[in-house]
Amino acid sequence: MGRRPIMVMGCTSDAGKSFLTTALCRYFADQGLRVAPFKAQNMSTNAAVTPDGHEIGRAQYVQALAARTTADVRMNPVLLKPKADTHSEVIVMGRYDPVATALPWLERRDRLWPIVRSCLHELIDGYDQVVIEGAGSPAEINLRATDIVNMSVALECQADVYLVADIDRGGAFAHLLGTWEFLEPDERALIRGFILNKFRGDPKLLGNAMDVLEERTRIPTVATVPMRRHTLPEEDAFHYRGAPLPGSINVALLVYPYASNLDEFDPIIHAPGITVTPIGGASSLAGYDAIILPGSTNTAASLRHVRAEGLADEIRRAAEAGATILGVCGGLQMLGREIRDPSGLEAGDIDGLALLDLTTTMAPDKVTRQRSIPWGDGTVDGYEIHHGRTDAGDLAEPLLPDGLGWRQGNVVGVYVHGLFDNGSYRRWFLEQLGWTGDAGDWGVAIDAAIDQVAGLVTESGWAVHLDQLAAV
């Protein structure tokens, strides 16, 4: 057993908890410590697959990279994947759990907490430093009775807690004070410091606000983390905004409800000469060089949205005009002729867009595995996460082996996520659009970005407090 766990909690969603947890994982790893990230329960449509085939939140996968350790399902034992406004698929220890999924929200704690607690203590016993990420806010008093991710975790392991506020959105000091006020005395006793995240501007404008906050709470503000642009994937949001540019290669990315794993398109979003435009609703797709249909945690619902917004006809017209159409996983299924749903996983059968000669049958058992696939003179790496099994007709030509991808003219569908991380695949796709350039290893770029954000721990002044705490 090593040091006491460090826990990052936020006053709000999107305060920067995942970002700062990632920074801490690399900061401690650079000190030669064996580091593990942990988030008891994550709600996100962005998932990753561990080397042994378990599904975890994308953020914890990246945090494991930051910690220079192998991603482990214990780092995120519970993952909620939204499939409707009031329904999520529950992944427990990396596998779909139909029993937990069927349970009402208020009845899940008894089933899930023992699993969370066991994973937490196994990591604490096996690593020098565990860095824990909370979810949402610990001040959501309506959820206190069912909490398995915030103060329940902190109290269980007596973590040193840092409370983060997004100062860029405004109201940061009120957020910090209000959150602290709603905590119980034993919970307040774990708070070691406040963090102001995403700061830009003149520090003098903060005045004596931090002193006033400390007078009210007896908690110091130990770090002011500057706003930094970075290429790390988002945990559960998609903040990127773009618009078609003359002279650029323009790509439309359909961001329909329940779109998943959108971070896998970061390598082309950041490619020079490429402009990616998110399309959520009714819009013309004329003039785009390529249109991407990403994965979905509810393919049928996403497809119905595409039809209701008139995007189905736009996709067909774009395909007829010669634009490259790419479907990934759920997007592949939508491009086929039919999606059959005999088990009622997604509310029945639905016709596809019929741009690929494919038929998909949904199945309760879920495929989750990493893949290394022959490509050109080498291989490309990626991962599968899907319920469906797809059969190809005569018109669909194999693009990837083992039923992992097909093409039909300028329409392509693949089951493998993460292919754009591979320079050879990314180059092949973009060169079809007329692009020329260097397509390097995205993993190298991500590692460099992790190093950059880890530097903020020192730059913000947080490292001084962490070192003092470790010395006590």
Side-chain angles (χ1 to χ4, degrees):
M1 180 174 176
R3 303 179 178 192
R4 281 175 58 160
I6 300 288
M7 187 163 187
V8 180
M9 293 191 186
C11 295
T12 60
S13 295
D14 204 30
K17 298 183 292 294
S18 298
F19 175 82
L20 295 175
T21 300
T22 301
L24 287 178
C25 284
R26 178 56 56 91
Y27 171 79
F28 287 121
D30 283 345
Q31 295 180 357
L33 299 175
R34 294 175 301 117
V35 183
F38 180 77
K39 185 168 185 175
Q41 177 177 277
N42 203 340
M43 176 176 281
S44 178
T45 57
N46 294 338
V49 176
T50 64
D52 56 358
H54 292 105
E55 191 174 359
I56 65 171
R58 192 71 188 167
Q60 282 63 64
Y61 190 89
V62 173
Q63 289 159 6
L65 294 176
R68 298 195 178 96
T69 192
T70 302
D72 184 323
V73 70
R74 295 174 300 173
M75 297 170 182
N76 177 212
V78 182
L79 174 62
L80 309 179
K81 303 187 75 172
K83 295 179 73 70
D85 289 345
T86 58
H87 176 68
S88 293
E89 180 183 69
V90 182
I91 309 296
V92 180
M93 295 301 289
R95 302 294 185 202
Y96 168 57
D97 187 331
V99 175
T101 299
L103 283 174
W105 180 277
L106 297 178
E107 298 177 19
R108 289 178 180 169
R109 191 182 195 280
D110 289 345
R111 180 179 179 86
L112 299 178
W113 175 247
I115 298 169
V116 166
R117 185 178 180 277
S118 175
C119 290
L120 173 64
H121 285 287
E122 286 180 17
L123 293 178
I124 291 171
D125 291 341
Y127 288 83
D128 300 323
Q129 180 71 71
V130 176
V131 185
I132 306 170
E133 180 185 341
S137 165
E140 293 171 338
I141 55 176
N142 55 308
L143 301 178
R144 184 178 296 274
T146 59
D147 175 43
I148 62 169
V149 66
N150 284 315
M151 278 300 174
S152 290
V153 172
L155 290 167
E156 175 65 32
C157 64
Q158 290 296 292
D160 293 321
V161 176
Y162 292 90
L163 188 60
V164 180
D166 176 0
I167 197 169
D168 190 56
R169 71 170 68 185
F173 294 104
H175 285 158
L176 289 166
L177 178 59
T179 301
W180 181 85
E181 288 279 3
F182 268 123
L183 299 180
E184 297 296 329
D186 58 344
E187 297 169 342
R188 292 178 184 177
L190 297 178
I191 306 292
R192 301 289 176 254
F194 295 139
I195 310 290
L196 297 174
N197 192 30
K198 306 181 189 179
F199 180 78
R200 49 185 167 184
D202 186 350
K204 295 179 181 178
L205 296 176
L206 296 174
N208 68 339
M210 292 179 286
D211 296 330
V212 173
L213 182 63
E214 186 170 358
E215 289 173 5
R216 293 284 295 272
T217 64
R218 298 184 181 179
I219 305 295
T221 299
V222 300
T224 302
V225 182
M227 176 78 81
R228 285 288 188 275
R229 294 186 180 276
H230 62 85
T231 56
L232 296 180
E234 302 287 349
E235 180 189 35
D236 55 8
F238 188 71
H239 297 297
Y240 178 77
R241 298 290 180 268
L245 291 175
S248 177
I249 294 173
N250 290 296
V251 178
L253 175 60
L254 302 193
V255 186
Y256 29 66
Y258 315 112
S260 64
N261 290 38
L262 294 174
D263 63 285
E264 69 178 297
F265 306 110
D266 287 353
I268 60 171
I269 286 174
H270 295 287
I274 305 293
T275 300
V276 177
T277 301
I279 304 291
S283 181
S284 172
L285 298 179
Y288 285 97
D289 299 287
I291 297 161
I292 297 176
L293 286 73
S296 172
T297 59
N298 189 329
T299 303
S302 296
L303 181 53
R304 290 186 181 99
H305 173 86
V306 166
R307 284 204 169 95
E309 295 294 318
L311 291 171
D313 291 336
E314 290 289 333
I315 294 167
R316 292 191 187 95
R317 282 193 285 267
E320 291 171 359
T324 296
I325 312 296
L326 170 65
V328 180
C329 199
L332 172 150
Q333 295 170 351
M334 294 184 208
L335 291 172
R337 295 187 180 279
E338 183 182 7
I339 301 172
R340 298 170 181 168
D341 188 14
S343 300
L345 294 178
E346 296 184 353
D349 299 352
I350 186 171
D351 290 336
L353 300 178
L355 293 176
L356 288 173
D357 188 12
L358 306 174
T359 300
T360 297
T361 302
M362 305 302 286
D365 57 312
K366 192 174 190 179
V367 176
T368 56
R369 59 189 171 193
Q370 293 187 354
R371 299 298 299 253
S372 185
I373 305 161
W375 182 262
D377 296 329
T379 59
V380 291
D381 297 325
Y383 57 99
E384 291 179 75
I385 304 178
H386 59 91
H387 280 285
R389 305 292 187 275
T390 297
D391 297 310
D394 294 338
L395 299 179
E397 301 175 1
L399 175 70
L400 300 177
D402 302 327
L404 295 176
W406 297 268
R407 73 177 306 169
Q408 197 167 320
N410 54 319
V411 182
V412 173
V414 296
Y415 259 127
V416 185
H417 294 279
L419 289 176
F420 284 122
D421 288 5
N422 300 271
S424 60
Y425 180 87
R426 187 162 72 254
R427 185 183 305 109
W428 167 80
F429 179 82
L430 293 178
E431 284 179 351
Q432 293 181 89
L433 311 182
W435 182 83
T436 57
D438 180 28
D441 185 336
W442 188 246
V444 173
I446 289 296
D447 197 66
I450 291 171
D451 280 338
Q452 181 183 30
V453 301
L456 296 176
V457 177
T458 299
E459 182 181 340
S460 67
W462 197 358
V464 173
H465 188 268
L466 291 168
D467 291 344
Q468 291 172 345
L469 193 65
V472 174

